[in-house]
Amino acid sequence: MNPVQSTRSAYIKLSLFVFLFTFTWAASFGLYAIWLGDKAGLDGIEIGTVFAVNGVFAVIFKPIYGYIMDKMGLKKHLLYFVCAVSALMAPFFIWCYLPLLETHFVSGMIVGALFFSLGWYAGVAAEESYVDRFSRLYDMEFGRIRMWAALGWASASSFSGYLYNISPKINFVISSASALCMLAVLLTLKVDHFGQEENNVLSKEKIVIGDVYNLLRNKKFWTFALYIAGVAWMMFIAEQQFSRYFVTFFSTKEEGNAMFGYMSTTQSATEFFGMMLVPALINRIGAKQGLLLTGLVISLRLIVSGLTNDPVIICLIKPLYGIEIALILVSVFKYIAEHFDKRVNATMYLLGYQAMIYVGSIVVAPPAGYAYQTIGFEHTYLVMGLIALVFTGISAFTLSACYQHKKVPDLPSPGQEALH
């Protein structure tokens, strides 16, 4: 196989793997909160506790996965493990997780947090980190592969609710079967020609624990973490209960639920096209400016959400979340690649970005929930939007300047040419 065919084949297979991974988890985990209430019989406090414990485990395992990814380079062993965990979805939910939650709640909660962290919370972060490294080595754009994840989520969401109403077991079986297909695709993905020990993406000297310690002493790590705490936390935490606020704009809850489903599908489509188009924008303006632009979009969405009482406007606002996802992911990976040693690339992503986001869920989500109850969603979103705006302004001075986009001519890369 010539290099052009090899590149095209690798792109197709990795894109299919990303699609199947997201499809696998969306078919079941997309309805997780509903399942915990309807089938496991948990109340609101217990469900909140489950999500909090899941977050704690995610914070623990994400850096571990990042360290392993940096040790392995582009070897696929960790992804094989994630596929295996995902394939156990049906037996885990049906024969292990549900009985434990019903009879031994604490044990079930801990076992579930371990399973979901290994398979989804840390698994999706490892998958994204692999895609980023793979795409840079092939001289492709991360977004052109990651966009298939949005399509996978939208595809699963289009029928998962209907099947759930028949029996959630159908969803779990579909997820397990999809995971096996995902494993089969991964097995056919060939990366043998990346045997070179040293290049602009892979390092001959693999990461050691001391590198993690040095990363934590790096000022750039903490200025990046400040951006995540002030901006990304607001973005993701606001989204957690946005559905509850959204339905209040409609005359009946049923109408609101239906419209929210339509808007979620639109959001996935927006993310898909955003992942396709955003890389060109970030290549032109730079990763730092991309992060600042993300902060402005997040601030705008949250502030307008708090000020409006028009259902049309709230429907126009909802899909912006897909644009935010595309902007922040593409900008984060490009910022990390430019400012941090390639030996700690995955560790930086899973620790500095992914784990930090879940720290926000643990620290900020409870007071945000209290604010929803006391001052209302609209005032809470207004405050969160202003916080994101303030931290975006601070980050304009604290984030390191990016120059890589000025060094690269705005021409198609060899990898991109090979895809046509």
Side-chain angles (χ1 to χ4, degrees):
M1 184 180 294
N2 65 49
V4 171
Q5 290 176 322
S6 175
T7 299
R8 185 176 181 84
S9 174
Y11 169 79
I12 292 172
K13 289 177 181 178
L14 190 57
S15 297
L16 181 57
F17 172 78
V18 169
F19 173 89
L20 288 171
F21 181 86
T22 313
F23 179 93
T24 295
W25 283 91
S28 296
F29 205 61
L31 300 163
Y32 179 52
I34 298 174
W35 181 86
L36 287 173
D38 291 349
K39 304 303 178 182
L42 305 186
D43 58 31
I45 295 176
E46 289 173 327
I47 292 174
T49 305
V50 167
F51 275 104
V53 174
N54 286 354
V56 171
F57 273 70
V59 169
I60 294 171
F61 280 98
K62 282 175 182 285
I64 295 174
Y65 270 30
Y67 186 83
I68 294 173
M69 291 292 291
D70 281 324
K71 273 288 189 185
M72 291 186 171
L74 277 166
K75 294 178 181 178
K76 300 177 290 182
H77 300 78
L78 184 58
L79 296 184
Y80 289 138
F81 175 74
V82 171
C83 288
V85 173
S86 303
L88 294 173
M89 190 100 65
F92 176 77
F93 264 100
I94 297 170
W95 295 316
C96 178
Y97 194 40
L98 180 59
L100 278 176
L101 288 176
E102 291 175 332
T103 58
H104 301 88
F105 174 69
V106 174
S107 298
M109 181 172 58
I110 293 173
V111 171
L114 177 62
F115 179 84
F116 298 128
S117 293
L118 294 174
W120 172 247
Y121 292 121
V124 68
E127 171 253 323
E128 289 176 341
S129 180
Y130 187 90
V131 168
D132 168 65
R133 184 171 289 172
F134 191 97
S135 61
R136 286 188 290 117
L137 199 56
Y138 264 115
D139 202 15
M140 297 179 186
E141 286 292 349
F142 166 80
R144 300 292 175 87
I145 302 175
R146 174 57 176 74
M147 67 185 187
W148 296 105
L151 188 62
W153 193 277
S155 300
S157 299
S158 65
F159 64 81
S160 59
Y162 174 78
L163 294 180
Y164 177 89
N165 290 334
I166 299 173
S167 173
K169 293 179 181 179
I170 300 176
N171 298 70
F172 303 145
V173 170
I174 289 175
S175 291
S176 290
S178 176
L180 292 175
C181 295
M182 176 173 67
L183 177 60
V185 170
L186 189 63
L187 286 168
T188 65
L189 179 63
K190 303 299 183 183
V191 293
D192 295 342
H193 53 291
F194 291 124
Q196 50 200 20
E197 292 184 304
E198 180 79 28
N199 51 52
N200 64 328
V201 178
L202 301 176
S203 174
K204 182 178 180 180
E205 297 180 5
K206 297 302 180 184
I207 187 174
V208 295
I209 292 296
D211 293 322
V212 180
Y213 176 69
N214 290 333
L215 178 63
L216 293 175
R217 296 178 60 191
N218 189 338
K219 179 183 176 182
K220 290 184 178 181
F221 175 89
W222 293 107
T223 55
F224 179 81
L226 179 68
Y227 171 86
I228 298 302
V231 178
W233 282 7
M234 300 303 109
M235 170 188 173
F236 289 108
I237 291 167
E239 188 66 14
Q240 287 178 346
Q241 298 198 44
F242 190 80
S243 60
R244 293 180 58 204
Y245 180 52
F246 184 90
V247 299
T248 63
F249 283 78
F250 300 89
S251 54
T252 65
K253 184 177 180 180
E254 289 72 21
E255 182 185 359
N257 287 335
M259 188 58 68
F260 186 79
Y262 300 143
M263 289 302 100
S264 295
T265 302
T266 304
Q267 174 186 300
S268 295
T270 304
E271 182 183 338
F272 178 85
F273 288 108
M275 284 292 180
M276 186 185 301
L277 302 173
V278 161
L281 172 64
I282 305 304
N283 285 340
R284 184 169 294 277
I285 67 175
K288 176 181 176 178
Q289 300 303 321
L291 291 172
L292 298 179
L293 177 60
T294 305
L296 291 177
V297 176
I298 293 168
S299 303
L300 175 67
R301 179 172 67 90
L302 294 179
I303 290 172
V304 175
S305 295
L307 293 176
T308 188
N309 56 7
D310 189 334
V312 175
I313 293 178
I314 206 71
C315 286
L316 292 174
I317 288 172
K318 173 59 181 168
L320 284 177
Y321 183 74
I323 296 293
E324 293 166 16
I325 289 291
L327 280 170
I328 198 168
L329 276 178
V330 173
S331 300
V332 162
F333 275 118
K334 288 183 179 295
Y335 186 88
I336 290 174
E338 183 164 349
H339 289 290
F340 295 91
D341 192 288
K342 56 191 175 185
R343 285 183 298 176
V344 297
N345 189 272
T347 301
M348 176 60 200
Y349 175 65
L350 275 88
L351 177 61
Y353 176 70
Q354 287 281 345
M356 274 295 294
I357 286 174
Y358 279 89
V359 170
S361 294
I362 297 169
V363 174
V364 180
Y370 177 77
Y372 295 146
Q373 296 291 334
T374 54
I375 65 175
F377 280 95
E378 61 273 22
H379 294 104
T380 304
Y381 284 143
L382 185 58
V383 170
M384 294 173 78
L386 291 173
I387 291 173
L389 185 61
V390 169
F391 275 87
T392 299
I394 294 172
S395 297
F397 299 97
T398 57
L399 288 175
S400 300
C402 293
Y403 302 103
Q404 193 63 41
H405 62 291
K406 298 180 180 179
K407 301 177 183 178
V408 182
D410 192 16
L411 295 171
S413 66
Q416 291 171 327
E417 290 176 348
L419 300 181
H420 298 291

